[in-house]
């Protein structure tokens, strides 16, 4: 049995396990704000003193981009696909998160984000489901990372593509009730409707793993994040209807709202996460409220 010299607050190690909380940003809905929420929450917590890792598992590299890496800066580096193939360890793949302050690729063109690492994605992650289909052992890639983990991170933030394929399954089966499936959806009636499909998918994963002892198999939708909610200047009828529908159906798991801001689009152009690029924008203020609500208070305060 492994012993670790690091003592971490037990609330980040449910059931005395050796790995952090797992927060999965997943819903089969494109452009629903999964990556914006995963990176904004991770950066907010990191700036408050909570070490964590963002896993970018989407081949579109959204989280990778806002946390400081693109295909040019990743040349010759290992990425999430190497973890999936079991060809690298977490510490070999995870890079210090950073954000762009200059135009080039030198160290002075980036500033570090303390307490945060990013497992970068790559376009090859588009083949993740196929890789698992071709070699069933690869279904254990995430389990292997968890079981060999020895660090002091508080949360693993997992940013998924909009699908319920084999790769998302390989992560969801490792989640327990203490972990959180967090669909981040826009205040749009179409997004709210798709939450039911996610609930059904989680039920399927739990059914499939019921009674198994080798994996927890209990992914649970215990938080719903509604973003792009109405403000005095953004008062769309559809957004109001969607907000009311989300409250009626999912009121018990709704996190504080993240309000609309057209400025949120700038993240990907500027390669800077929202809480750092626009710290006073309404969504950045709201993500701070969300993290306080979840118990991630400023440790310096
Ligand atoms: N609070 C917000 N208000 C308005 N637009 C937002 C907000 N948060 C994110 N967006 C925009 O929504 C779009 C999709 O966001 P993204 O996080 O990339 O979604 P996903 O990862 O689910 O595909 C982006 O253009 C982003 O700028
Ligand atoms: Mg995304």
């Amino acid at each position: 049995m492994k012993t670790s010299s690091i003592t971490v607050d037990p609330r980040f190690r449910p059931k005395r396990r050796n790995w952090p909380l797992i927060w999965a940003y997943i819903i089969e809905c494109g452009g629903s704000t999964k990556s914006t929420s995963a990176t904004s929450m991770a950066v907010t917590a990191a700036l408050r003193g909570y070490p964590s890792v963002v896993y970018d598992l989407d081949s579109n590299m959204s989280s990778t981009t806002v946390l400081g890496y693109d295909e040019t800066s990743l040349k010759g580096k290992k990425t999430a696909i190497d973890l999936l193939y079991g060809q690298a360890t977490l510490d070999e793949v995870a890079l210090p998160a950073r954000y762009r302050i200059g135009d080039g690729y030198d160290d002075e063109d980036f500033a570090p984000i303390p307490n945060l690492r990013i497992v970068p994605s790559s376009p090859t992650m588009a083949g993740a489901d196929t890789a698992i289909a071709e070699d069933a052992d690869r279904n254990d890639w995430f389990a292997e990372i968890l079981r060999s983990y020895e660090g002091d991170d508080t949360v693993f933030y997992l940013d998924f593509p909009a699908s319920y394929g084999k790769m998302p399954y390989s992560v969801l089966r490792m989640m327990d009730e203490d972990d959180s499936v967090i669909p981040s959806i826009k205040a749009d009636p179409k997004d709210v409707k798709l939450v039911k499909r996610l609930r059904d998918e989680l039920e399927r994963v739990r059914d499939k793993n019921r009674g198994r002892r080798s994996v927890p198999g209990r992914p649970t939708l215990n938080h719903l994040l509604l973003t792009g909610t109405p403000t005095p200047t953004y008062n769309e009828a559809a957004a109001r209807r969607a907000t009311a529908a989300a409250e009626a159906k999912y009121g018990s798991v709704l996190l504080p709202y993240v309000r609309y801001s057209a400025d949120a689009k700038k993240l990907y152009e500027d390669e800077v996460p929202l809480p750092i690029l626009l710290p006073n924008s309404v969504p950045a203020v709201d993500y701070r409220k969300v993290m306080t609500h979840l118990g991630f208070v400023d440790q310096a305060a």
Side-chain angles (χ1 to χ4, degrees):
M1 189 128 164
K2 230 172 275 153
T3 52
S4 173
S5 56
I6 301 164
T7 47
V8 181
D9 187 330
R11 72 187 163 115
F12 304 122
R13 294 290 181 275
K15 303 194 169 87
R16 308 181 70 177
R17 70 193 194 194
N18 61 298
W19 62 83
L21 296 175
I22 303 168
W23 289 2
Y25 294 77
I26 185 164
I27 183 159
E28 201 169 76
C29 180
S32 78
T33 69
K34 295 178 289 292
S35 301
T36 305
S37 291
T39 53
S40 296
M41 289 167 71
V43 168
T44 298
L47 295 175
R48 289 178 170 183
Y50 299 87
S52 45
V53 182
V54 173
Y55 289 71
D56 187 355
L57 302 177
D58 191 340
S59 61
N60 74 5
M61 301 176 71
S62 293
S63 297
T64 302
T65 305
V66 298
L67 296 177
Y69 297 89
D70 63 11
E71 281 188 76
T72 302
S73 47
L74 290 171
K75 268 210 184 82
K77 291 203 160 69
K78 304 224 176 204
T79 65
I81 198 75
D82 297 293
L83 287 183
L84 194 118
Y85 278 118
Q87 289 166 347
T89 64
L90 173 61
D91 289 340
E92 286 167 349
V93 175
L95 298 168
R98 58 184 196 176
Y99 59 95
R100 190 171 267 293
I101 52 173
D103 293 326
Y105 285 95
D106 297 320
D107 283 349
E108 70 258 25
D109 293 313
F110 298 92
I113 303 173
N115 297 317
L116 190 61
R117 293 186 294 164
I118 167 79
V119 168
S121 186
S122 68
T124 52
M125 272 304 275
D129 286 348
T130 311
I132 295 174
E134 285 172 354
D135 177 359
D137 288 350
R138 291 298 94 227
N139 206 34
D140 286 330
W141 72 277
F142 192 62
E144 285 162 10
I145 290 173
L146 299 182
R147 293 193 181 116
S148 60
Y149 180 80
E150 294 184 293
D152 64 353
D153 291 297
T154 57
V155 179
F156 283 168
Y157 298 84
L158 289 115
D159 184 21
F160 285 96
S163 89
Y164 303 134
K166 288 182 185 296
M167 187 278 290
Y169 176 76
S170 66
V171 172
L172 291 173
R173 72 203 268 268
M174 293 310 296
M175 297 178 70
D176 217 332
E177 296 96 344
D178 311 280
D179 299 305
S180 299
V181 175
I182 311 180
S184 178
I185 57 167
K186 276 193 170 146
D188 177 318
K190 158 182 95 51
D191 289 36
V192 176
K193 263 197 199 117
L194 287 170
V195 177
K196 186 181 179 304
R197 294 253 310 273
L198 172 62
R199 278 222 145 137
D200 294 345
E201 174 63 16
L202 298 178
E203 189 58 39
R204 191 185 72 84
V205 175
R206 286 194 298 265
D207 275 346
K208 200 169 166 200
N209 291 286
R210 217 177 293 284
R212 288 193 62 183
R213 284 205 261 162
S214 57
V215 300
R218 284 182 296 272
T220 310
L221 197 166
N222 36 25
H223 299 294
L224 177 73
L225 197 52
L226 197 63
T227 67
T229 60
T231 65
T233 52
Y234 176 77
N235 195 12
E236 304 265 326
R240 276 187 278 119
R241 262 191 294 125
T243 305
E247 246 173 58
K249 284 189 196 136
Y250 305 108
S252 62
V253 292
L254 260 187
L255 288 168
Y257 294 148
V258 176
R259 287 166 290 173
Y260 180 89
S261 166
D263 289 340
K265 292 189 175 40
K266 291 193 184 127
L267 312 182
Y268 297 126
E269 286 157 43
D270 291 11
E271 299 175 34
V272 182
L274 181 73
I276 292 175
L277 183 66
L278 299 161
N280 301 317
S281 65
V282 287
V285 170
D286 294 342
Y287 282 117
R288 289 199 287 275
K289 273 188 208 153
V290 166
M291 292 311 289
T292 300
H293 174 90
L294 291 169
F296 289 68
V297 296
D298 199 333
Q299 296 196 327

